[in-house]
Amino acid sequence: MYASILVALDGSDQSMFALNHARTIAECFGSMLILVHAFPHTSDLRDSIEYNNLVALRIKRGEEIIETARKQLGRTSIRVDEELLEGPAPEAILSVAATRKCDLIVMGSRGMGSLKGMVLGSVSTKVSHYARCPVMVVR
Amino acid sequence: MFKHILLPTDGSPLSEAAVRKAIQFAKSINARVTGFCVVTALRYVGCDAEIGTEFKKQAEAAVQAEATKNLLAIEMAAKEAAVPCDTVQDKSDQPYDAIIEAAQVKGCDLIIMASHGRAGVSALLLGSETQKVLTHSKIPVLVYR
């Protein structure tokens, strides 16, 4: 039913809840988990001397987020793969879901956005609108 | 894992397809389901006085019967898959609100619904009720397309 499940990670608590849900579903269906983190795109600063440093910093942070997720999964029988790529996050998540032919996307309802009052974040809104596969939004 | 899934339906083909997939999902994870259908009040804006009570009664009964039929379809599908199932009908003008409340009252831990309902896929990428449930639900929501 679910051969591959994409989990969108941004380092927030909610994305960790999403990971837990995705894990239980993957264990039940023998699915492969694809951990995805998309860091903010920085191409607007491409001319600046700090550009390479900034991107390196974001990649490093992204690797930490994926590493934390892998640690949270611990020892598990499920297959886990990862994708670390430059955002914008909704486009990145959707493109991974499409190229990898994911059967399900699991994500938090809101992540690191600064608007605390937002009940459904902009990334989850976009992904749930444009995804071609089922989307589970977790709280 | 999820133990009790709420399945809101409006009887549209997309929502019926979502129900079928949801029942398969429930079966795989040993969850039970509650079918849910909202009956919205009929309004006769601008012509309320001209329409007879008899017609209104009939129209109301027809809408009610439709909801009962939608829920029966869920019950049958669940029975066929040997998934424990009950059904709830509610009157409300705000389907999304009724859906969220029903999930709470019934103690559901997941809502599964179609990306679109009766209004269809024509204009919006995500149906308005689904969007509202996604926004306001306190429990996970799984959207099928």
Side-chain angles (χ1 to χ4, degrees):
Chain A
M1 195 168 185
Y2 301 113
S4 64
I5 302 176
L6 187 159
V7 196
L9 300 167
D10 64 355
S12 67
D13 289 349
Q14 287 214 358
S15 77
M16 285 303 168
F17 296 154
L19 179 66
N20 287 342
H21 279 295
R23 178 212 189 120
T24 22
I25 297 171
E27 279 169 352
C28 188
F29 292 93
S31 342
M32 174 172 190
L33 274 189
I34 301 168
L35 311 177
V36 177
H37 175 72
F39 54 87
H41 72 131
T42 326
S43 50
D44 51 333
L45 298 177
R46 209 177 280 275
D47 299 331
S48 111
I49 37 167
E50 289 295 323
Y51 176 75
N52 287 336
N53 284 342
L54 192 54
V55 171
L57 213 62
R58 285 192 157 143
I59 289 174
K60 186 165 165 281
R61 174 77 189 119
E63 283 167 352
E64 282 166 14
I65 287 171
I66 288 176
E67 189 51 37
T68 312
R70 279 192 184 269
K71 269 195 194 126
Q72 172 130 337
L73 288 172
R75 285 171 63 89
T76 171
S77 57
I78 47 178
R79 284 172 305 141
V80 183
D81 201 356
E82 61 186 55
E83 292 254 9
L84 176 60
L85 62 173
E86 186 168 30
E91 286 80 350
I93 292 165
L94 291 166
S95 83
V96 173
T99 51
R100 294 233 184 184
K101 298 190 174 59
C102 294
D103 306 293
L104 177 68
I105 298 174
V106 185
M107 62 193 310
S109 62
R110 58 178 306 277
M112 302 298 268
S114 53
L115 281 171
K116 291 278 179 241
M118 287 268 284
V119 267
L120 190 66
S122 63
V123 179
S124 2
T125 303
K126 264 203 182 150
V127 171
S128 60
H129 273 75
Y130 291 98
R132 297 288 172 103
C133 65
V135 177
M136 180 182 281
V137 176
V138 169
R139 284 178 165 81
Chain B
M1 193 53 141
F2 306 109
K3 297 263 173 279
H4 187 178
I5 306 171
L6 189 79
L7 304 181
T9 179
D10 65 356
S12 61
L14 272 169
S15 130
E16 275 173 5
V19 162
R20 277 196 300 276
K21 288 183 210 158
I23 287 174
Q24 278 310 309
F25 182 64
K27 190 181 167 69
S28 316
I29 61 168
N30 289 321
R32 65 196 174 99
V33 298
T34 292
F36 183 69
C37 195
V38 180
V39 180
T40 48
L42 297 171
R43 302 202 184 285
Y44 305 93
V45 179
C47 56
D48 196 60
E50 284 106 80
I51 290 171
T53 46
E54 192 53 36
F55 177 85
K56 283 182 189 167
K57 244 189 227 162
Q58 278 176 14
E60 212 161 288
V63 173
Q64 190 79 45
E66 180 76 29
T68 311
K69 198 188 90 195
N70 296 342
L71 291 177
L72 194 67
I74 294 185
E75 229 169 279
M76 303 273 278
K79 202 173 169 188
E80 208 174 295
V83 170
C85 169
D86 70 328
T87 56
V88 185
Q89 223 181 86
D90 193 10
K91 280 200 171 107
S92 171
D93 284 339
Q94 303 278 15
Y96 82 93
D97 211 22
I99 290 167
I100 289 168
E101 197 187 300
Q104 203 169 15
V105 170
K106 282 282 169 181
C108 297
D109 46 15
L110 176 69
I111 300 172
I112 299 187
M113 60 195 297
S115 59
H116 294 81
R118 227 174 248 292
V121 211
S122 52
L124 299 165
L125 293 160
L126 197 63
S128 62
E129 292 307 322
T130 309
Q131 166 77 57
K132 282 185 252 182
V133 171
L134 262 182
T135 305
H136 296 288
S137 171
K138 296 268 183 283
I139 60 171
V141 180
L142 174 52
V143 178
Y144 276 124
R145 11 196 111 229

